[in-house]
Amino acid sequence: MFVRDYMTRHPMMAEPDMPAVDAQRLMAEARIRRLPVVGDGKRLLGLVTRQSLLVDPGKMGSLNVWEIAGYLSRLTVKDVMIKTGDVVTVGPDLTIEEAARIMVEKKVGSLPVIESDIVVGIITETDLLAQMSAMMGLRSPGVRATVRMPTDLVGGLARLVDAIAAQGWGINALGGSVFPRNPDKWDVVLKIEGVTKTDMIAVLRQVQSEEIIDVREI
């Protein structure tokens, strides 16, 4: 799974001379929170966000209402955008898990996608959350189970899959990660359609060295 497959292609963009109020209106109407700013050939110049559109009250403390109105009307996108040197970008061939890591480490909610210096898309935290939801099969009913096993257990996942396959069941979603409160444990989450919660528990209990954490119908 790569950024190119989950990014928003050909996103809305702004030119640097666009009035800031127009950019704000465009973002509100389109219900978006980030707007890449581009120059000739769609080359990235910066990024406008809801946060960057906030005006510093200190700059207007000595102005009257008419002066404030005039000041705001003269603001352009280039005055409020995050400059390109401070914008975190990625390429379309990056994996989505790497994109998620970058967002977490850099504390940003979006990543303009650049190819040959040209903006070809944007991927946001919402895109990644939607993909996570799809990966876990939330769009269809089934039974979801979480089991915990030692991280150094060799063949633990294989035995779990074998026990399920022996029932003739197909796995609709499967994922896992280290348990955050105990790095010696690994949580595996799986979803199966067309089975009952009771049947799922019975099969999971056959697998040694694992702890059933949760089983629920979704």
Side-chain angles (χ1 to χ4, degrees):
M1 295 178 288
F2 302 97
V3 166
R4 64 172 178 264
D5 300 318
Y6 300 96
M7 69 183 185
T8 298
R9 294 178 178 273
H10 311 297
M12 289 185 175
M13 304 179 196
E15 295 182 352
D17 294 329
M18 172 187 281
V21 292
D22 289 348
Q24 186 176 39
R25 184 181 304 111
L26 176 62
M27 292 168 67
E29 291 175 351
R31 296 182 179 181
I32 57 177
R33 291 180 289 172
R34 298 100 180 173
L35 195 62
V37 183
V38 297
D40 293 339
K42 295 184 179 180
R43 283 174 168 75
L44 185 69
L45 299 177
L47 184 70
V48 172
T49 68
R50 289 183 180 179
Q51 188 68 26
S52 70
L53 283 167
L54 298 177
V55 178
D56 183 1
K59 295 181 178 180
M60 298 183 292
S62 61
L63 304 180
N64 62 41
V65 64
W66 305 111
E67 291 171 329
I68 290 174
Y71 172 76
L72 293 177
S73 67
R74 292 190 297 272
L75 281 178
T76 63
V77 162
K78 65 184 176 185
D79 297 320
V80 299
M81 70 182 185
I82 302 169
K83 302 297 191 293
T84 184
D86 295 320
V87 178
V88 184
T89 64
V90 295
D93 293 329
L94 193 73
T95 62
I96 59 171
E97 62 267 28
E98 277 294 302
R101 180 188 62 79
I102 291 172
M103 285 189 195
V104 171
E105 290 184 354
K106 299 295 184 179
K107 294 182 172 59
V108 295
S110 68
L111 298 167
V113 184
I114 308 297
E115 186 173 29
S116 300
D117 297 327
I118 297 173
V119 178
V120 295
I122 189 169
I123 189 163
T124 69
E125 56 196 2
T126 302
D127 297 324
L128 296 178
L129 288 172
Q131 176 55 20
M132 179 180 177
S133 174
M135 284 179 64
M136 295 314 301
L138 290 181
R139 297 175 182 173
S140 57
V143 176
R144 177 191 187 279
T146 302
V147 298
R148 186 168 297 153
M149 60 184 68
T151 54
D152 59 356
L153 178 65
V154 178
L157 180 59
R159 285 192 288 273
L160 175 61
V161 172
D162 287 345
I164 293 170
Q167 304 299 314
W169 299 345
I171 298 176
N172 299 95
L174 178 66
S177 65
V178 174
F179 181 46
R181 297 182 183 177
N182 185 351
D184 294 329
K185 298 289 184 178
W186 186 46
D187 282 355
V188 177
V189 180
L190 64 152
K191 180 188 171 187
I192 298 175
E193 295 181 16
V195 303
T196 67
K197 178 178 176 180
T198 301
D199 289 342
M200 174 77 90
I201 293 173
V203 171
L204 294 179
R205 283 176 175 167
Q206 299 173 15
V207 184
Q208 297 180 354
S209 301
E210 73 172 25
E211 177 186 0
I212 301 174
I213 301 302
D214 177 76
V215 179
R216 66 181 68 186
E217 294 179 355
I218 59 172

